[in-house]
Amino acid sequence: MATDVTPRTRHPGLPTRRLALQWLGLLGLPCSAVAQAAPAGPQTRLAAAWQQADGGYRVGLLGVGRDPAAPLQVLHALEVPTRAHGVHVLPDGSIVATARRPGDWLVHWQPGTATPPRWHWVDPSRSFNGHVIASADGSALYTTETDVDTGASLVAMRDAGSLETVAEWPTHGIDAHELRWAPHAFAPEAAGRAAPLIVANGGVPTAPETGRVKRDLHTMDSSLVQLDGRTGALRGQWRLADPRLSLRHLAWNAEGSMLGIALQAEHDDASARAQAPVLALFDGQRLRLAEPAPPTPAALRGYGGSISATAEGWAVSCPRAGGIATFSPQGSWRGLVELPEVCALAPAAGRLWAAGLDHSLQDAAGAAPLRHAHASALAGARMDNHWTLAGR
């Protein structure tokens, strides 16, 4: 396995990690590794991104066997240069992942094969915003990006083979984050043509020279936009009344009729931020807030890390509150499921998987969640925001 030999404080003249990986690729040497195979026959496979206890970053496949007490295992893992964020599974079982914003790499990888991963380094005038999805047939990828010169966000349509950009569409906002295709039930008028694309513009101002540092939050402009899936033309744009609520992560209900949006609050006042809602709902016409959690000294801390639809309604991971906020299908408050440092969520057969630091929960929003310890390869690992079901 290749390792990161770049010191935390780089000596002038030494190559950056990005350049080192590029040189290794040119020399035909591995810049990644496939980890040990876990026991055969896992019942559930989850595509994931995580940080190892030693500080290194991985994307890969995790699996849990049929035994209710089976630990969460690493099936295959790929070392990546920096923290990954969104992980997407293509129809052929391969994985695409991109760096957390402002990111500079995108990778397409076939776990469990000898096929080397394909890497792409973004043009210096662009930065990746952490999320990537594919077309229905897997021939094209779509990434949210930012123009570093203007700060405007866009969706880049990329060839899934070469990873090169073939078209760009403005998102009519800044800080674009997650994007999702609208299902037929949500947009029946799109039958026979490309489905609409829904994009969350987080609206948080940053600057290229300061990376993720937030600034001028009084100018925040978060919105949800619907783009034509064929041309990128704007078909609609919606905003919440509170401009300090950043719309970030998206999930469809099982019927495909309602979109749930996880929110992150950016209020100056700490109390207002702590009590802020973490869920909004969109039915195609109206964007509205769900019922907030009951007022408490800490509440949900105004931070939704990920979102998933469940058999019971909605779930939003709240790592700063140490649990999963659960809601009814229409957004009524249900309660908090305790799971320290929870972030990644994924639905599987209508049930919720949720990742903590040293164990995960199966059917986390149900009456009797099953606890799965993490295997030794994940000791001390921190899951990033998202899991994606990769087969059963």
Side-chain angles (χ1 to χ4, degrees):
M1 177 181 293
T3 57
D4 180 7
V5 296
T6 307
R8 292 187 181 274
T9 302
R10 189 170 62 88
H11 187 280
L14 289 179
T16 64
R17 179 166 187 152
R18 171 174 172 172
L19 286 175
L21 289 172
Q22 289 174 322
W23 292 346
L24 288 171
L26 290 172
L27 291 170
L29 299 175
C31 59
S32 58
V34 177
Q36 74 279 5
Q43 183 182 41
T44 301
R45 293 172 181 260
L46 298 159
W50 67 94
Q51 183 178 15
Q52 295 281 109
D54 64 6
Y57 297 100
R58 305 285 188 272
V59 298
L61 285 180
L62 309 178
V64 175
R66 291 178 173 82
D67 182 347
L72 184 69
Q73 301 270 3
V74 177
L75 303 181
H76 305 285
L78 176 73
E79 183 181 11
V80 292
T82 58
R83 178 176 164 183
H85 190 64
V87 180
H88 185 78
V89 180
L90 274 63
D92 65 359
S94 61
I95 289 175
V96 287
T98 187
R100 184 179 69 154
R101 63 182 172 88
D104 62 357
W105 60 264
L106 173 70
V107 67
H108 184 190
W109 174 51
Q110 182 70 61
T113 73
T115 304
R118 180 179 293 108
W119 296 88
H120 178 84
W121 303 98
V122 76
D123 183 278
S125 67
R126 299 285 184 267
S127 65
F128 288 121
N129 288 5
H131 282 275
V132 54
I133 60 172
S135 58
D137 62 2
S139 64
L141 304 178
Y142 297 80
T143 53
T144 48
E145 303 182 16
T146 291
D147 182 320
V148 299
D149 294 323
T150 68
S153 282
L154 50 95
V155 171
M157 181 172 68
R158 295 175 173 274
D159 180 88
S162 67
L163 303 184
E164 296 292 340
T165 299
V166 296
E168 289 184 342
W169 305 332
T171 69
H172 306 274
I174 63 171
D175 188 30
H177 203 59
E178 190 161 17
L179 69 173
R180 295 268 185 169
W181 294 109
H184 176 73
F186 186 83
E189 72 281 359
R193 56 186 175 84
L197 193 60
I198 309 295
V199 185
N201 285 314
V204 177
T206 58
E209 62 272 17
T210 53
R212 293 174 58 83
V213 176
K214 302 165 187 175
R215 62 176 197 170
D216 300 328
L217 287 173
H218 64 282
T219 67
M220 271 185 66
D221 183 21
S222 186
S223 67
L224 192 72
V225 296
Q226 180 174 311
L227 306 179
D228 186 288
R230 182 177 58 86
T231 66
L234 181 65
R235 299 302 185 203
Q237 188 166 22
W238 298 265
R239 293 175 172 85
L240 293 170
D242 185 346
R244 290 296 186 96
L245 294 175
S246 177
L247 298 103
R248 306 211 68 80
H249 293 126
L250 311 174
W252 292 103
N253 64 0
E255 298 76 24
S257 59
M258 186 78 75
L259 181 71
I261 306 104
L263 308 174
Q264 294 178 8
E266 300 292 351
H267 301 86
D268 295 328
D269 180 75
S271 176
R273 190 166 60 250
Q275 300 292 331
V278 297
L279 174 66
L281 298 174
F282 179 60
D283 62 4
Q285 302 296 321
R286 180 186 173 212
L287 176 64
R288 64 178 178 88
L289 293 173
E291 180 180 310
T296 65
L300 299 177
R301 308 286 179 94
Y303 186 91
S306 188
I307 182 170
S308 177
T310 71
E312 297 78 15
W314 301 97
V316 178
S317 61
C318 299
R320 296 176 185 175
I324 307 159
T326 60
F327 302 83
S328 75
Q330 294 303 314
S332 297
W333 174 252
R334 292 184 65 238
L336 188 73
V337 179
E338 292 188 6
L339 183 57
E341 300 194 48
V342 60
C343 210
L345 303 176
R351 301 300 176 182
L352 181 69
W353 283 84
L357 184 62
D358 60 4
H359 71 279
S360 294
L361 295 180
Q362 178 184 356
D363 194 18
L370 294 175
R371 175 181 171 132
H372 293 271
H374 291 178
S376 58
L378 291 171
R382 294 178 179 274
M383 295 293 158
D384 211 275
N385 293 55
H386 307 291
W387 272 351
T388 302
L389 187 67
R392 295 174 62 82

